[in-house]
Amino acid sequence: MVPRKPARFATFVLIGSLAVVAAACSGTSPRSNAQSGGTTASLVKAGGTLRLGTPNDPGNDPQQDYNIFEVFWCCTSRTLLSLNLLPANQGGTALYPDLASSMPTVSSDGLTWTFHIRPNIHYSPPFQNTVVTSKDFVTALEREANPQGSVGGYSFYYSVIQGFDAYSKGSASSISGLSTPNVTSLVMHLTAPTGDLGYRLALPAAAPIPPGAEALTTHLRDYGRYLVSTGPYMVAGSQNLNFSLPASQQTPLSGYQPGQYLDLVRNPSWQASTDSLRKAYPDRIDFQLGGTVADLANKVEAGTLDELYDVNPPASVIQHYETDPQLKGLIHSNATGHLQFIGMNMAQPPFDDIHMRRALNYVLDKAALQRVFSGPIGGPIMGHVLTPNLSDSKLNSYNPFSTPGESGDLSKAKAEVMLSKYDPKHDGMCDVPACKNVLAVTRSDSVYPDLATIEQQDFAELGITLNIKEVDFSSIYSECPNLSAHVGLCLGIYWGPDYPDAFTELNPLFGSSSLGPNCCNVTATGATAQLLSSAGGYGNTLPPSVDAKIAACIPTTGAARITCWNSLDEYITSQIVPIVPYLNDHNIEIVSPRVVNYNHDVIGYISLNVVALKNGGK
Amino acid sequence: MARYLVRRILSLIVALWVVSMVTFVVFLKLPVGNPAERVAGRSASPQTIAAINQVYGFNRPIYIQYARFAKGLVPWPGWFLNPQYFYSRLESAPVKTIILQRLPVTITLALGAAAIWLVLGLGTGVISALWPKSAADRVLMTGALAGISAPPFWVGYLFLYVFWFKLRWLPPSGLPPNESLLVSIAKGRFLMPWIALALGYSAFYARISRATLLDVMNKDYVRTARAKGLKERRVVVRHVLRAGLAPVITMLGLDLGGLLGGTIIIETVFNLPGLGAYSLQAVTGNDLPAIMGITVFAAVSIMVANVLVDVTYAYLDPKIRFS
């Protein structure tokens, strides 16, 4: 999943300092006496318009947009099973029946999942008279399987359904593993037991599409501009959609202009009695898309927006909110599944030696990196891969490379270097050419250049000098995993799960299926001799693989699944050591005083399921 | 005149061909890896990549790839920026449609800013040239230097922070969804963007116009005009300004042409839904067809502006002949 971007705003600080004269003359800047996230029940009423601002566009196509799922989850697109969009300690990692009337029945071999569809669920206008049926889920998955319908999407999650790939390749006219014995029953046959299938079916791509919406024909590529809702909200202008017109005469949803705005209004077809997960207090949710983070943060403080969405405020704004007693209650630091880490290319000297990798884990001043992320409010320091949301908090104290104050331990690091084959002088410094001018890629935006400076200094203490290459945010996930580029260290990278299951963290980062320039394995874990040979310039040492261990965890469920993934995390962290984990960065959100009943989900976003406007926005 | 225009248009076509080749190579051939993977986005399935290869012909010989791309540059019905090739994945819409939707905002921004910088820049330049080394000249030129030195993004942030966030004198950034462009202009939503964009240009225009006017004022024909007993006002208006400002016309045309390709920084800072904001969105979202479409559109804008400038210039300056 494309991670959200913490903001760096040196420019904002500069502007602030230069504009101080004008500011001092003013005094019109609003301040709130109200407490953010106030949960006084009497204030929580339905009504009003919640106004969110984000520089990013969450998208509106359930099969294509692989970015922010929350807007689908809370508002427009119900799925068979759903999350409640609350924190982990409030059941936020569990799945609940949503459009399914109950949890699915799973066969003893784990290969057949049977869902029963909740009756009498109607679509938003103009399909208000159409009931959701089991076939509509098949339509959604067929669109996800269609390469033109799901460009940019995440069809790989559904390859486990029998016949999905054949349909995708065009060699079958339907997905053989999906059957609909009647309008309320959906049966899925899998090629292999998959413990997290429920989560995969909770993703927006599996949200039903009504017959007549032409999502497999006329609107194969642009259904997002014609989205039909099942949730409590629909895109403004939905009632004006007219699918009976010729394609050239149809006008898309007026409430969504990509990169500009997304306006959600109440879906008259939605019935609260059928939906126990969503309170849907605001009458309307308006997203202002685009602009700069600094300006959006000012709008929140000024009260013209209610929340800064999908991006952390600038460091200066965080400090302002933290130190101003009247604003302190309006800032929230939400736990996420995000892991900030440094990836080491284990196929390339000197990181083909585990002692060098262990040395980097010891030498890094993680506390200094945390300070760059605004300090403790930015999230806790990490010593392993899985964040508390993914490990059920069972690994919170696990940190095999812990150092005093998490500030690094040079003596331990040097001791590791001395054990490696790259310290012929045995002085704790890497003495060979492989340690000089190591290609290290980082992002050019946000805090990453500042982090790279610290990392460069730390690693230099072990004799490792870096040739830092800055790339833009969208390029880092193609630069780092590209084995041909011989990137030694991937500095400016992090990963966030798509749903609260460790598969979506451990497989992309360490599975061999995720190797290659189009995905996410930046450490060469599991790379084969053939792959390294075709990349060129690598020796005969093969990096270790964890594929078998991942495969062993995939079919498990429940507590056994958590234990399995946690064990794998411990194994990877201590025995393979492909990365230097350093932070579980939080989503920091600022809200206006109008926002009450504030809560957040396990991904770290404001919970639009439960948030309300004070006194219904009046 | 006709021959001149034909010649200019032919040279425009050659230039466009060169631009198309460069665009094709830069965006499709220079970057490492399969362009289909970049169009498809991260974690694309092999089927998706195959489908994109089919649509764009990335797996075909290079001349066919170029032909598919270049077809979209031919101003022929159904060809120019055709949606089969120039289709924005991020916006799920043809690039041409998006450009047409966003162009009015960019034109409004560019023309409004141009009007401001012409008034400010030329006014300052003329005053400085007419009274060189005076106190006014020194003050204005120092101001111009400051204007050139201030980056537009910084000026934009500063304006927003002071005039909206703190003082509330001017409207905030962005255009409300259902507000027409004329209403937005009337409400002053473009005022800060115009000025922020115009400041740097006006400073530049002031310095250029001052230098050219000073040069013209020392020409023999100006001296002759004065010797003939013409009033100073007539000398300045009829002889000095007409000749002295011709280079400014050249600059204005090219600057406007460039701005039509998108004013990325100002549109982003002020959250204006123009071509600049769209091009940034396309680049950060790796929306390759959109990036290429905008690049070509920007190139065409500059070239057309160039032709118009040449024609205008020839009228303004008697020394230039169409032949």
Side-chain angles (χ1 to χ4, degrees):
Chain A
M1 188 166 196
V2 178
R4 53 187 273 151
K5 295 168 264 187
R8 187 178 65 150
F9 275 91
T11 50
F12 181 83
V13 176
L14 184 60
I15 293 159
S17 59
L18 287 169
V20 70
V21 175
C25 297
S26 139
T28 55
S29 179
R31 290 287 185 272
S32 160
N33 292 321
Q35 287 302 301
S36 138
T39 49
T40 310
S42 62
L43 297 176
V44 181
K45 291 176 183 164
T49 299
L50 181 68
R51 304 154 307 172
L52 309 174
T54 171
N56 311 315
D57 187 341
N60 202 45
D61 193 311
Q63 278 79 39
Q64 292 182 3
D65 288 313
Y66 188 23
N67 188 11
I68 309 165
F69 295 145
E70 265 73 2
V71 182
F72 296 105
W73 280 339
C74 69
C75 304
T76 58
S77 304
R78 295 173 69 181
T79 43
L80 289 164
L81 308 173
S82 290
L83 301 164
N84 64 6
L85 304 192
L86 293 174
N89 61 6
Q90 295 174 41
T93 58
L95 282 171
Y96 303 88
D98 191 0
L99 288 180
S101 56
S102 59
M103 292 303 281
T105 308
V106 184
S107 63
S108 56
D109 61 2
L111 292 175
T112 305
W113 291 51
T114 304
F115 292 88
H116 296 287
I117 315 301
R118 194 184 290 270
N120 294 321
I121 301 290
H122 290 252
Y123 286 101
S124 64
F127 290 100
Q128 64 271 31
N129 297 322
T130 305
V131 173
V132 174
T133 69
S134 51
K135 280 196 166 59
D136 303 348
F137 296 92
V138 176
T139 304
L141 290 168
E142 284 180 345
R143 183 163 187 261
E144 184 64 16
N146 189 308
Q148 291 196 47
S150 64
V151 174
Y154 41 93
S155 57
F156 52 86
Y157 277 134
Y158 306 102
S159 285
V160 72
I161 298 172
Q162 268 182 26
F164 187 90
D165 287 344
Y167 181 86
S168 188
K169 287 173 186 160
S171 54
S173 59
S174 63
I175 300 173
S176 61
L178 297 176
S179 59
T180 54
N182 54 57
V183 293
T184 59
S185 299
L186 174 65
V187 181
M188 292 188 184
H189 300 283
L190 309 184
T191 55
T194 308
D196 63 346
L197 182 70
Y199 287 113
R200 300 181 190 198
L201 295 174
L203 298 178
I209 298 174
E214 300 167 345
L216 291 173
T217 52
T218 307
H219 297 303
L220 179 64
R221 291 204 294 184
D222 64 355
Y223 175 63
R225 305 294 296 269
Y226 298 83
L227 178 72
V228 182
S229 297
T230 49
Y233 299 95
M234 62 184 191
V235 180
S238 290
Q239 68 280 3
N240 298 325
L241 292 176
N242 187 347
F243 292 94
S244 63
L245 292 171
S248 60
Q249 293 174 29
Q250 292 185 29
T251 52
L253 291 159
S254 59
Y256 177 51
Q257 269 300 328
Q260 298 176 45
Y261 57 85
L262 172 62
D263 295 342
L264 304 177
V265 297
R266 284 207 183 276
N267 171 8
S269 303
W270 178 76
Q271 293 176 298
S273 59
T274 68
D275 191 341
S276 60
L277 299 174
R278 300 169 183 85
K279 300 295 181 193
Y281 287 119
D283 282 340
R284 188 180 167 106
I285 302 177
D286 286 354
F287 287 86
Q288 178 190 313
L289 313 176
T292 65
V293 186
D295 187 38
L296 292 170
N298 283 345
K299 286 182 175 178
V300 175
E301 189 180 343
T304 58
L305 285 176
D306 294 314
E307 203 247 356
L308 179 58
Y309 192 74
D310 187 40
V311 68
N312 283 0
S316 58
V317 173
I318 293 172
Q319 190 181 22
H320 177 45
Y321 272 71
E322 285 223 286
T323 52
D324 186 330
Q326 290 178 309
L327 294 175
K328 199 168 174 63
L330 298 170
I331 188 166
H332 301 275
S333 174
N334 303 337
T336 68
H338 299 164
L339 178 73
Q340 300 280 349
F341 65 94
I342 296 169
M344 296 174 277
N345 183 347
M346 295 191 294
Q348 182 166 312
F351 308 112
D352 57 347
D353 188 318
I354 191 170
H355 295 293
M356 291 302 295
R357 303 199 295 270
R358 290 168 62 89
L360 261 57
N361 270 276
Y362 276 127
V363 80
L364 190 66
D365 184 350
K366 297 180 180 180
L369 301 182
Q370 187 193 40
R371 284 194 289 277
V372 178
F373 278 90
S374 301
I377 192 174
I381 287 172
M382 284 292 287
H384 58 98
V385 183
L386 296 178
T387 61
N389 284 352
L390 298 176
S391 64
D392 199 20
S393 294
K394 290 187 165 60
L395 294 178
N396 288 3
S397 58
Y398 178 68
N399 187 355
F401 301 105
S402 180
T403 61
E406 295 302 332
S407 301
D409 188 328
L410 187 57
S411 59
K412 280 187 178 175
K414 282 180 176 285
E416 287 290 345
V417 174
M418 279 191 268
L419 293 172
S420 80
K421 59 187 174 188
Y422 296 111
D423 183 17
K425 295 180 187 169
H426 293 289
D427 58 357
M429 299 284 281
C430 181
D431 307 313
V432 300
C435 287
K436 309 303 170 199
N437 222 23
V438 173
L439 179 58
V441 173
T442 193
R443 276 166 58 177
S444 56
D445 64 313
S446 187
V447 295
Y448 292 97
D450 297 339
L451 298 174
T453 304
I454 295 170
E455 291 153 353
Q456 188 173 28
Q457 289 167 354
D458 287 348
F459 298 156
E461 295 191 75
L462 300 177
I464 300 171
T465 60
L466 305 185
N467 166 25
I468 294 178
K469 178 183 178 186
E470 290 189 4
V471 298
D472 65 67
F473 164 68
S474 59
S475 300
I476 189 117
Y477 292 93
S478 53
E479 287 273 344
C480 282
N482 183 2
L483 288 170
S484 308
H486 287 269
V487 176
L489 294 173
C490 190
L491 304 178
I493 194 161
Y494 81 99
W495 194 254
D498 292 337
Y499 48 81
D501 185 271
F503 170 81
T504 180
E505 188 94 358
L506 295 177
N507 187 59
L509 292 181
F510 307 113
S512 65
S513 60
S514 307
L515 283 164
N518 211 34
C519 194
C520 357
N521 183 337
V522 301
T523 59
T525 312
T528 60
Q530 188 185 5
L531 193 65
L532 295 177
S533 169
S534 63
Y538 288 100
N540 295 324
T541 310
L542 281 184
S545 170
V546 293
D547 284 353
K549 291 182 182 293
I550 289 174
C553 291
I554 286 174
T556 58
T557 56
R561 186 174 182 86
I562 289 171
T563 304
C564 188
W565 289 125
N566 286 354
S567 299
L568 179 55
D569 180 1
E570 290 176 319
Y571 175 75
I572 290 172
T573 302
S574 63
Q575 304 301 310
I576 308 284
V577 204
I579 65 170
V580 186
Y582 59 84
L583 197 77
N584 166 210
D585 62 310
H586 281 189
N587 279 4
I588 300 173
E589 302 195 322
I590 54 173
V591 297
S592 80
R594 297 172 78 225
V595 173
V596 292
N597 211 34
Y598 180 92
N599 214 333
H600 65 90
D601 64 18
V602 286
I603 312 289
Y605 288 92
I606 185 173
S607 174
L608 297 175
N609 275 7
V610 300
V611 75
L613 291 160
K614 188 190 293 179
N615 291 320
K618 294 181 181 69
Chain B
M1 174 69 174
R3 284 183 61 193
Y4 174 79
L5 277 179
V6 169
R7 206 168 59 240
R8 293 298 289 124
I9 289 169
L10 284 176
S11 67
L12 188 150
I13 290 170
V14 172
L16 186 60
W17 175 72
V18 172
V19 167
S20 73
M21 292 289 282
V22 171
T23 306
F24 178 75
V25 171
V26 166
F27 288 115
L28 291 179
K29 292 296 147 197
L30 283 187
V32 180
N34 183 353
E37 290 174 354
R38 279 178 284 134
V39 173
R42 199 156 49 84
S43 305
S45 68
Q47 290 80 23
T48 302
I49 291 169
I52 286 170
N53 274 328
Q54 179 69 26
V55 170
Y56 293 93
F58 291 145
N59 51 354
R60 306 287 296 278
I62 191 165
Y63 61 89
I64 293 183
Q65 293 184 43
Y66 175 72
R68 289 194 181 204
F69 163 68
K71 181 183 168 187
L73 313 183
V74 181
W76 190 262
W79 284 23
F80 186 67
L81 293 181
N82 62 81
Q84 290 76 33
Y85 195 98
F86 293 94
Y87 186 87
S88 169
R89 174 174 63 82
L90 286 180
E91 297 216 0
S92 298
V95 173
K96 186 164 61 177
T97 306
I98 299 166
I99 288 176
L100 290 176
Q101 278 174 351
R102 288 175 174 259
L103 192 57
V105 172
T106 299
I107 288 177
T108 303
L109 180 60
L111 291 183
I116 291 173
W117 86 55
L118 277 180
V119 171
L120 276 180
L122 295 188
T124 304
V126 170
I127 290 170
S128 293
L130 291 181
W131 295 283
K133 296 183 181 174
S134 65
D137 177 30
R138 291 179 201 282
V139 168
L140 289 173
M141 283 302 107
T142 305
L145 185 64
I148 289 174
S149 309
F153 79 89
W154 178 82
V155 174
Y157 274 127
L158 188 67
F159 280 7
L160 276 174
Y161 186 75
V162 175
F163 296 112
W164 172 71
F165 183 59
K166 286 297 176 185
L167 303 175
R168 299 300 173 89
W169 289 354
L170 291 169
S173 64
L175 303 179
N178 298 315
E179 190 173 277
S180 76
L181 205 52
L182 285 178
V183 173
S184 293
I185 294 169
K187 287 187 172 176
R189 298 192 191 281
F190 278 91
L191 206 53
M192 283 195 284
W194 279 340
I195 297 173
L197 183 58
L199 272 184
Y201 282 102
S202 57
F204 192 62
Y205 275 58
R207 292 182 73 88
I208 293 290
S209 56
R210 178 183 183 273
T212 52
L213 288 175
L214 281 175
D215 182 49
V216 170
M217 281 198 287
N218 290 324
K219 296 284 185 192
D220 288 346
Y221 67 89
V222 174
R223 206 173 297 125
T224 306
R226 285 200 178 105
K228 282 165 62 182
L230 288 181
K231 287 182 179 176
E232 184 63 15
R233 182 192 178 95
R234 193 174 171 84
V235 171
V236 169
V237 174
R238 288 288 301 270
H239 298 280
V240 176
L241 286 185
R242 184 173 177 189
L245 294 184
V248 173
I249 300 298
T250 309
M251 283 168 52
L252 179 67
L254 292 176
D255 287 340
L256 275 178
L259 288 180
L260 289 186
T263 51
I264 294 176
I265 292 170
I266 292 296
E267 286 180 11
T268 302
V269 169
F270 289 97
N271 196 15
L272 297 172
L275 286 178
Y278 177 54
S279 57
L280 181 66
Q281 192 183 316
V283 168
T284 53
N286 236 340
D287 195 351
L288 199 56
I291 296 168
M292 295 170 72
I294 297 169
T295 305
V296 168
F297 178 80
V300 171
S301 298
I302 292 172
M303 287 174 198
V304 170
N306 209 10
V307 172
L308 292 176
V309 161
D310 285 352
V311 173
T312 313
Y313 199 86
Y315 270 114
L316 280 176
D317 191 342
K319 289 182 291 185
I320 306 290
R321 291 286 175 270
F322 290 124
S323 57

